[in-house]
Amino acid sequence: ARRRPGRLARPLRRRRRLAGIKTAETIAFAPTLVERAFALRTVSPFDRLTPAELVLLADIADARAYAPGEVVHPGGLPFPRLFAVVAGRVVDESGAPAGSLLGALSLIRHTDGPRLVADPATGARIIRLDRGPFFTILRECPAFTLGLLALGLRPATASPA
């Protein structure tokens, strides 16, 4: 059965700019469309998407390099977008690694996320996907949704009595 192209297949009308302050490191991390697609493929559940879906996502996603110790998410607020860490790592306030996919549960539930910073030793390179395209992926790409479930992003259940 052929899949009918949805919102992800619509052409991008404008290029997105890198957000935030443009430091020398931020400007240096400007991967091409193909590089963004390959980088996304290294992060689960993006590895479950077809090459065509990856290219469409890479076209609407933006890339940003975070200097060592730079704040990735200030905490106390819902995540504004989904973050896929493709190089380096992100840590929480205690210094524990935050993982490679950040903000999914916060976007789904519209709950506050923790304060996260780029690793003080290595920094981080992150591909960011806005809220709208994230929900489009959830709706149109069941493999991605199943991948999120496999990562443990399940709704909270009542604790056994």
Side-chain angles (χ1 to χ4, degrees), residues 51-79:
E53 291 167 335
L54 278 171
V55 168
L56 289 170
L57 284 177
D59 195 28
I60 59 176
D62 67 347
R64 168 111 194 273
Y66 289 85
E70 186 177 354
V71 174
V72 174
H73 182 70
L77 299 168
F79 275 79

PDB file of all heavy atoms in Angstrom, residues 51-79:
ATOM      1  N   PRO A  51      14.509   6.769   4.490  1.00  0.00           N
ATOM      2  CA  PRO A  51      15.395   7.845   4.034  1.00  0.00           C
ATOM      3  C   PRO A  51      14.630   9.085   3.555  1.00  0.00           C
ATOM      4  O   PRO A  51      15.045  10.212   3.822  1.00  0.00           O
ATOM      5  CB  PRO A  51      16.183   7.198   2.890  1.00  0.00           C
ATOM      6  CG  PRO A  51      16.219   5.746   3.252  1.00  0.00           C
ATOM      7  CD  PRO A  51      14.871   5.478   3.884  1.00  0.00           C
ATOM      8  N   ALA A  52      13.524   8.889   2.883  1.00  0.00           N
ATOM      9  CA  ALA A  52      12.733  10.034   2.403  1.00  0.00           C
ATOM     10  C   ALA A  52      12.186  10.853   3.572  1.00  0.00           C
ATOM     11  O   ALA A  52      12.207  12.089   3.541  1.00  0.00           O
ATOM     12  CB  ALA A  52      11.590   9.552   1.514  1.00  0.00           C
ATOM     13  N   GLU A  53      11.697  10.170   4.608  1.00  0.00           N
ATOM     14  CA  GLU A  53      11.183  10.881   5.785  1.00  0.00           C
ATOM     15  C   GLU A  53      12.313  11.618   6.507  1.00  0.00           C
ATOM     16  O   GLU A  53      12.125  12.751   6.969  1.00  0.00           O
ATOM     17  CB  GLU A  53      10.495   9.895   6.727  1.00  0.00           C
ATOM     18  CG  GLU A  53       9.208   9.326   6.178  1.00  0.00           C
ATOM     19  CD  GLU A  53       8.684   8.131   6.960  1.00  0.00           C
ATOM     20  OE1 GLU A  53       9.489   7.432   7.622  1.00  0.00           O
ATOM     21  OE2 GLU A  53       7.466   7.892   6.888  1.00  0.00           O
ATOM     22  N   LEU A  54      13.481  10.999   6.587  1.00  0.00           N
ATOM     23  CA  LEU A  54      14.629  11.644   7.230  1.00  0.00           C
ATOM     24  C   LEU A  54      15.037  12.920   6.499  1.00  0.00           C
ATOM     25  O   LEU A  54      15.320  13.937   7.135  1.00  0.00           O
ATOM     26  CB  LEU A  54      15.817  10.691   7.288  1.00  0.00           C
ATOM     27  CG  LEU A  54      15.820   9.688   8.425  1.00  0.00           C
ATOM     28  CD1 LEU A  54      16.930   8.677   8.233  1.00  0.00           C
ATOM     29  CD2 LEU A  54      15.961  10.391   9.756  1.00  0.00           C
ATOM     30  N   VAL A  55      15.054  12.872   5.188  1.00  0.00           N
ATOM     31  CA  VAL A  55      15.436  14.053   4.408  1.00  0.00           C
ATOM     32  C   VAL A  55      14.409  15.169   4.603  1.00  0.00           C
ATOM     33  O   VAL A  55      14.780  16.340   4.749  1.00  0.00           O
ATOM     34  CB  VAL A  55      15.620  13.698   2.915  1.00  0.00           C
ATOM     35  CG1 VAL A  55      15.737  14.943   2.053  1.00  0.00           C
ATOM     36  CG2 VAL A  55      16.839  12.811   2.740  1.00  0.00           C
ATOM     37  N   LEU A  56      13.136  14.821   4.623  1.00  0.00           N
ATOM     38  CA  LEU A  56      12.101  15.841   4.855  1.00  0.00           C
ATOM     39  C   LEU A  56      12.257  16.488   6.222  1.00  0.00           C
ATOM     40  O   LEU A  56      12.139  17.703   6.373  1.00  0.00           O
ATOM     41  CB  LEU A  56      10.710  15.221   4.713  1.00  0.00           C
ATOM     42  CG  LEU A  56      10.307  14.845   3.296  1.00  0.00           C
ATOM     43  CD1 LEU A  56       9.029  14.016   3.310  1.00  0.00           C
ATOM     44  CD2 LEU A  56      10.132  16.081   2.446  1.00  0.00           C
ATOM     45  N   LEU A  57      12.540  15.675   7.238  1.00  0.00           N
ATOM     46  CA  LEU A  57      12.747  16.222   8.577  1.00  0.00           C
ATOM     47  C   LEU A  57      14.009  17.068   8.641  1.00  0.00           C
ATOM     48  O   LEU A  57      14.021  18.134   9.266  1.00  0.00           O
ATOM     49  CB  LEU A  57      12.840  15.095   9.606  1.00  0.00           C
ATOM     50  CG  LEU A  57      11.525  14.450   9.984  1.00  0.00           C
ATOM     51  CD1 LEU A  57      11.769  13.311  10.956  1.00  0.00           C
ATOM     52  CD2 LEU A  57      10.603  15.465  10.594  1.00  0.00           C
ATOM     53  N   ALA A  58      15.067  16.582   8.039  1.00  0.00           N
ATOM     54  CA  ALA A  58      16.327  17.321   8.056  1.00  0.00           C
ATOM     55  C   ALA A  58      16.174  18.677   7.386  1.00  0.00           C
ATOM     56  O   ALA A  58      16.848  19.643   7.765  1.00  0.00           O
ATOM     57  CB  ALA A  58      17.411  16.503   7.372  1.00  0.00           C
ATOM     58  N   ASP A  59      15.285  18.765   6.417  1.00  0.00           N
ATOM     59  CA  ASP A  59      15.068  20.028   5.717  1.00  0.00           C
ATOM     60  C   ASP A  59      14.395  21.065   6.606  1.00  0.00           C
ATOM     61  O   ASP A  59      14.648  22.263   6.458  1.00  0.00           O
ATOM     62  CB  ASP A  59      14.233  19.784   4.458  1.00  0.00           C
ATOM     63  CG  ASP A  59      14.267  20.960   3.502  1.00  0.00           C
ATOM     64  OD1 ASP A  59      15.274  21.693   3.511  1.00  0.00           O
ATOM     65  OD2 ASP A  59      13.301  21.136   2.753  1.00  0.00           O
ATOM     66  N   ILE A  60      13.564  20.643   7.532  1.00  0.00           N
ATOM     67  CA  ILE A  60      12.867  21.607   8.385  1.00  0.00           C
ATOM     68  C   ILE A  60      13.509  21.753   9.755  1.00  0.00           C
ATOM     69  O   ILE A  60      13.145  22.639  10.519  1.00  0.00           O
ATOM     70  CB  ILE A  60      11.364  21.258   8.541  1.00  0.00           C
ATOM     71  CG1 ILE A  60      11.180  19.874   9.130  1.00  0.00           C
ATOM     72  CG2 ILE A  60      10.655  21.399   7.225  1.00  0.00           C
ATOM     73  CD1 ILE A  60       9.735  19.513   9.399  1.00  0.00           C
ATOM     74  N   ALA A  61      14.477  20.906  10.070  1.00  0.00           N
ATOM     75  CA  ALA A  61      15.171  20.989  11.358  1.00  0.00           C
ATOM     76  C   ALA A  61      16.327  21.979  11.242  1.00  0.00           C
ATOM     77  O   ALA A  61      16.809  22.276  10.159  1.00  0.00           O
ATOM     78  CB  ALA A  61      15.694  19.608  11.749  1.00  0.00           C
ATOM     79  N   ASP A  62      16.750  22.493  12.397  1.00  0.00           N
ATOM     80  CA  ASP A  62      17.938  23.338  12.395  1.00  0.00           C
ATOM     81  C   ASP A  62      18.987  22.726  13.316  1.00  0.00           C
ATOM     82  O   ASP A  62      18.678  21.900  14.169  1.00  0.00           O
ATOM     83  CB  ASP A  62      17.618  24.784  12.770  1.00  0.00           C
ATOM     84  CG  ASP A  62      17.169  24.962  14.201  1.00  0.00           C
ATOM     85  OD1 ASP A  62      16.858  23.956  14.853  1.00  0.00           O
ATOM     86  OD2 ASP A  62      17.122  26.098  14.674  1.00  0.00           O
ATOM     87  N   ALA A  63      20.215  23.104  13.087  1.00  0.00           N
ATOM     88  CA  ALA A  63      21.332  22.558  13.846  1.00  0.00           C
ATOM     89  C   ALA A  63      21.961  23.667  14.675  1.00  0.00           C
ATOM     90  O   ALA A  63      21.998  24.825  14.256  1.00  0.00           O
ATOM     91  CB  ALA A  63      22.361  21.973  12.890  1.00  0.00           C
ATOM     92  N   ARG A  64      22.450  23.281  15.855  1.00  0.00           N
ATOM     93  CA  ARG A  64      23.076  24.270  16.738  1.00  0.00           C
ATOM     94  C   ARG A  64      24.156  23.593  17.545  1.00  0.00           C
ATOM     95  O   ARG A  64      23.975  22.488  18.043  1.00  0.00           O
ATOM     96  CB  ARG A  64      22.016  24.857  17.658  1.00  0.00           C
ATOM     97  CG  ARG A  64      22.574  25.665  18.809  1.00  0.00           C
ATOM     98  CD  ARG A  64      22.271  27.143  18.658  1.00  0.00           C
ATOM     99  NE  ARG A  64      23.086  27.925  19.565  1.00  0.00           N
ATOM    100  CZ  ARG A  64      22.766  28.214  20.814  1.00  0.00           C
ATOM    101  NH1 ARG A  64      21.644  27.798  21.335  1.00  0.00           N
ATOM    102  NH2 ARG A  64      23.591  28.940  21.552  1.00  0.00           N
ATOM    103  N   ALA A  65      25.290  24.249  17.660  1.00  0.00           N
ATOM    104  CA  ALA A  65      26.374  23.783  18.517  1.00  0.00           C
ATOM    105  C   ALA A  65      26.294  24.553  19.826  1.00  0.00           C
ATOM    106  O   ALA A  65      26.097  25.771  19.826  1.00  0.00           O
ATOM    107  CB  ALA A  65      27.717  24.012  17.851  1.00  0.00           C
ATOM    108  N   TYR A  66      26.403  23.850  20.927  1.00  0.00           N
ATOM    109  CA  TYR A  66      26.405  24.462  22.248  1.00  0.00           C
ATOM    110  C   TYR A  66      27.812  24.350  22.821  1.00  0.00           C
ATOM    111  O   TYR A  66      28.394  23.264  22.849  1.00  0.00           O
ATOM    112  CB  TYR A  66      25.403  23.764  23.172  1.00  0.00           C
ATOM    113  CG  TYR A  66      23.961  24.047  22.801  1.00  0.00           C
ATOM    114  CD1 TYR A  66      23.314  23.296  21.829  1.00  0.00           C
ATOM    115  CD2 TYR A  66      23.269  25.078  23.411  1.00  0.00           C
ATOM    116  CE1 TYR A  66      22.004  23.563  21.484  1.00  0.00           C
ATOM    117  CE2 TYR A  66      21.953  25.344  23.068  1.00  0.00           C
ATOM    118  CZ  TYR A  66      21.327  24.586  22.102  1.00  0.00           C
ATOM    119  OH  TYR A  66      20.021  24.856  21.753  1.00  0.00           O
ATOM    120  N   ALA A  67      28.347  25.465  23.265  1.00  0.00           N
ATOM    121  CA  ALA A  67      29.680  25.488  23.853  1.00  0.00           C
ATOM    122  C   ALA A  67      29.664  24.712  25.172  1.00  0.00           C
ATOM    123  O   ALA A  67      28.598  24.557  25.797  1.00  0.00           O
ATOM    124  CB  ALA A  67      30.109  26.928  24.086  1.00  0.00           C
ATOM    125  N   PRO A  68      30.818  24.228  25.625  1.00  0.00           N
ATOM    126  CA  PRO A  68      30.864  23.529  26.915  1.00  0.00           C
ATOM    127  C   PRO A  68      30.269  24.385  28.034  1.00  0.00           C
ATOM    128  O   PRO A  68      30.604  25.558  28.186  1.00  0.00           O
ATOM    129  CB  PRO A  68      32.363  23.291  27.133  1.00  0.00           C
ATOM    130  CG  PRO A  68      32.928  23.216  25.751  1.00  0.00           C
ATOM    131  CD  PRO A  68      32.123  24.219  24.959  1.00  0.00           C
ATOM    132  N   GLY A  69      29.312  23.788  28.762  1.00  0.00           N
ATOM    133  CA  GLY A  69      28.655  24.476  29.876  1.00  0.00           C
ATOM    134  C   GLY A  69      27.515  25.403  29.490  1.00  0.00           C
ATOM    135  O   GLY A  69      26.838  25.952  30.354  1.00  0.00           O
ATOM    136  N   GLU A  70      27.263  25.593  28.201  1.00  0.00           N
ATOM    137  CA  GLU A  70      26.183  26.479  27.748  1.00  0.00           C
ATOM    138  C   GLU A  70      24.822  25.851  28.051  1.00  0.00           C
ATOM    139  O   GLU A  70      24.637  24.642  27.921  1.00  0.00           O
ATOM    140  CB  GLU A  70      26.312  26.744  26.256  1.00  0.00           C
ATOM    141  CG  GLU A  70      25.317  27.770  25.737  1.00  0.00           C
ATOM    142  CD  GLU A  70      25.504  28.068  24.259  1.00  0.00           C
ATOM    143  OE1 GLU A  70      26.464  27.580  23.644  1.00  0.00           O
ATOM    144  OE2 GLU A  70      24.654  28.798  23.724  1.00  0.00           O
ATOM    145  N   VAL A  71      23.860  26.662  28.456  1.00  0.00           N
ATOM    146  CA  VAL A  71      22.525  26.183  28.799  1.00  0.00           C
ATOM    147  C   VAL A  71      21.795  25.755  27.528  1.00  0.00           C
ATOM    148  O   VAL A  71      21.673  26.527  26.577  1.00  0.00           O
ATOM    149  CB  VAL A  71      21.713  27.259  29.541  1.00  0.00           C
ATOM    150  CG1 VAL A  71      20.285  26.808  29.776  1.00  0.00           C
ATOM    151  CG2 VAL A  71      22.383  27.618  30.856  1.00  0.00           C
ATOM    152  N   VAL A  72      21.302  24.516  27.528  1.00  0.00           N
ATOM    153  CA  VAL A  72      20.522  23.984  26.414  1.00  0.00           C
ATOM    154  C   VAL A  72      19.041  24.241  26.671  1.00  0.00           C
ATOM    155  O   VAL A  72      18.302  24.637  25.778  1.00  0.00           O
ATOM    156  CB  VAL A  72      20.792  22.471  26.231  1.00  0.00           C
ATOM    157  CG1 VAL A  72      19.877  21.868  25.179  1.00  0.00           C
ATOM    158  CG2 VAL A  72      22.251  22.233  25.885  1.00  0.00           C
ATOM    159  N   HIS A  73      18.611  24.013  27.906  1.00  0.00           N
ATOM    160  CA  HIS A  73      17.223  24.285  28.316  1.00  0.00           C
ATOM    161  C   HIS A  73      17.270  24.855  29.726  1.00  0.00           C
ATOM    162  O   HIS A  73      17.879  24.263  30.618  1.00  0.00           O
ATOM    163  CB  HIS A  73      16.382  23.011  28.269  1.00  0.00           C
ATOM    164  CG  HIS A  73      14.953  23.231  28.637  1.00  0.00           C
ATOM    165  ND1 HIS A  73      14.085  23.924  27.831  1.00  0.00           N
ATOM    166  CD2 HIS A  73      14.243  22.870  29.720  1.00  0.00           C
ATOM    167  CE1 HIS A  73      12.895  23.981  28.419  1.00  0.00           C
ATOM    168  NE2 HIS A  73      12.972  23.350  29.555  1.00  0.00           N
ATOM    169  N   PRO A  74      16.625  26.010  29.972  1.00  0.00           N
ATOM    170  CA  PRO A  74      16.751  26.666  31.271  1.00  0.00           C
ATOM    171  C   PRO A  74      16.056  25.952  32.435  1.00  0.00           C
ATOM    172  O   PRO A  74      16.353  26.212  33.588  1.00  0.00           O
ATOM    173  CB  PRO A  74      16.122  28.041  31.039  1.00  0.00           C
ATOM    174  CG  PRO A  74      15.182  27.828  29.905  1.00  0.00           C
ATOM    175  CD  PRO A  74      15.803  26.774  29.046  1.00  0.00           C
ATOM    176  N   GLY A  75      15.155  25.057  32.143  1.00  0.00           N
ATOM    177  CA  GLY A  75      14.424  24.359  33.205  1.00  0.00           C
ATOM    178  C   GLY A  75      13.251  25.191  33.702  1.00  0.00           C
ATOM    179  O   GLY A  75      13.223  26.420  33.563  1.00  0.00           O
ATOM    180  N   GLY A  76      12.273  24.505  34.277  1.00  0.00           N
ATOM    181  CA  GLY A  76      11.094  25.192  34.791  1.00  0.00           C
ATOM    182  C   GLY A  76      10.102  25.604  33.721  1.00  0.00           C
ATOM    183  O   GLY A  76       9.097  26.236  34.022  1.00  0.00           O
ATOM    184  N   LEU A  77      10.362  25.255  32.468  1.00  0.00           N
ATOM    185  CA  LEU A  77       9.482  25.572  31.348  1.00  0.00           C
ATOM    186  C   LEU A  77       9.331  24.335  30.475  1.00  0.00           C
ATOM    187  O   LEU A  77      10.234  23.497  30.426  1.00  0.00           O
ATOM    188  CB  LEU A  77      10.092  26.686  30.479  1.00  0.00           C
ATOM    189  CG  LEU A  77      10.337  28.032  31.127  1.00  0.00           C
ATOM    190  CD1 LEU A  77      11.205  28.889  30.222  1.00  0.00           C
ATOM    191  CD2 LEU A  77       9.023  28.719  31.414  1.00  0.00           C
ATOM    192  N   PRO A  78       8.213  24.227  29.751  1.00  0.00           N
ATOM    193  CA  PRO A  78       8.109  23.129  28.779  1.00  0.00           C
ATOM    194  C   PRO A  78       9.147  23.321  27.666  1.00  0.00           C
ATOM    195  O   PRO A  78       9.522  24.440  27.345  1.00  0.00           O
ATOM    196  CB  PRO A  78       6.693  23.257  28.224  1.00  0.00           C
ATOM    197  CG  PRO A  78       5.950  24.069  29.222  1.00  0.00           C
ATOM    198  CD  PRO A  78       6.959  24.976  29.852  1.00  0.00           C
ATOM    199  N   PHE A  79       9.597  22.232  27.093  1.00  0.00           N
ATOM    200  CA  PHE A  79      10.530  22.313  25.971  1.00  0.00           C
ATOM    201  C   PHE A  79       9.814  22.952  24.787  1.00  0.00           C
ATOM    202  O   PHE A  79       8.681  22.587  24.474  1.00  0.00           O
ATOM    203  CB  PHE A  79      11.007  20.917  25.560  1.00  0.00           C
ATOM    204  CG  PHE A  79      12.176  20.422  26.359  1.00  0.00           C
ATOM    205  CD1 PHE A  79      12.000  19.894  27.624  1.00  0.00           C
ATOM    206  CD2 PHE A  79      13.463  20.472  25.835  1.00  0.00           C
ATOM    207  CE1 PHE A  79      13.066  19.431  28.360  1.00  0.00           C
ATOM    208  CE2 PHE A  79      14.537  20.008  26.560  1.00  0.00           C
ATOM    209  CZ  PHE A  79      14.348  19.484  27.831  1.00  0.00           C
TER     210      PHE A  79
END
